[in-house]
């Protein structure tokens, strides 16, 4: 399924109206079933749906990891993801009523966030990864070079997993949390270690994005945008390095300053 569509529009520019074609992001409702029980409908970008499902189920503590999942079947035509799991966490059972997760905020705050997160996040991140300013600028430049869909549509979020000198995996989605779940699912499937890596994110570092980063296990998150106050407080508590406003030749370090080294 295509991730973008071309639509005829009327555009105003330089004082006059004219017909044009706009490239827009596709929204795709994906309903996840776990052992034939309907769990959730996620509004997402349709690529890497299996990664999204695995990352979401693990991130939310519904399964403990990819070993608990026997099979994921994506039925693209009907928008269904059918998961066969050999283990489902009982503690999460009361949150597994049917719910609808929109693309605007990833999920409803009253349903999931902060109710089961505490048991899923490491209390202190102790990664040994440290970055120099030149490495941060280089990683951000590489990341932006892989952001073609964002440049075309302006309507998706990008996330990447990187080492000190390499962008390992890039995923995009209309839902900012979905982009991170796709990263997580890919790493789980491919057995890629995450605790010695950093996350690059295209948008604001909100508290939910910070929690997702903590669940993935990365100790550094980099963004061109700013973090929120709550995200900064959580980053300091969880020992995660949050770096924002990476633009031009400068950036701001809001937490975990010891992991940002002098050139």
């Amino acid at each position: 399924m295509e991730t973008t569509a071309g639509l005829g529009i009327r555009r105003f520019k330089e004082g006059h109206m004219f017909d044009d074609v706009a490239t827009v992001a596709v929204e795709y409702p994906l309903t996840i079933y776990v052992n034939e029980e309907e769990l959730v409908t996620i509004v997402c970008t349709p690529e890497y749906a299996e990664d999204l499902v695995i990352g979401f189920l693990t991130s939310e503590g519904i399964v403990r990891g990819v070993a608990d999942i026997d099979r994921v079947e994506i039925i693209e035509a009907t928008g269904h993801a059918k998961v066969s799991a050999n283990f489902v966490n009982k503690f999460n059972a009361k949150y597994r009523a049917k719910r609808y997760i929109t693309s605007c905020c990833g999920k409803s705050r009253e349903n999931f966030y902060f109710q089961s997160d505490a048991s899923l996040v490491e209390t202190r991140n102790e990664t040994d990864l440290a970055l120099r300013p030149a490495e941060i600028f280089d990683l951000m430049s590489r990341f932006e070079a892989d952001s073609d869909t964002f440049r075309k549509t302006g309507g998706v979020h990008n996330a990447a997993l990187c080492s000190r000198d390499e962008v390992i995996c890039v995923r995009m989605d209309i839902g900012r949390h979905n982009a991170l779940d796709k990263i997580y699912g890919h790493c789980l499937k491919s057995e890629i270690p995450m605790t010695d890596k950093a996350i690059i994110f295209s948008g604001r570092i909100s508290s939910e994005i910070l929690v997702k980063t903590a669940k993935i296990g990365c100790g550094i998150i980099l963004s061109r945008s700013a973090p929120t106050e709550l995200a900064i407080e959580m980053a300091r508590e969880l020992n995660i390095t949050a770096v924002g406003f990476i633009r031009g030749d400068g950036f701001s370090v809001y937490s975990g300053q010891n992991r940002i080294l002098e050139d």
Side-chain angles (χ1 to χ4, degrees), residues 6 74 85 92 94 98 148 158 165 174 181 183 210 221 243-244:
I74 305 296
N92 215 305
K94 68 178 180 177
K98 179 184 176 182
D148 185 58
N158 290 335
D165 55 5
I174 55 172
D181 281 337
I183 293 282
L210 197 285
I221 181 167
V243 182

Side-chain angles (χ1 to χ4, degrees), residues 176-177 180 201 204 206-213 221:
R176 60 183 185 266
H177 309 92
L180 287 172
F201 188 64
R204 181 182 73 252
S206 65
S207 58
E208 291 106 333
I209 293 300
L210 197 285
V211 167
K212 285 283 187 183
T213 301
I221 181 167

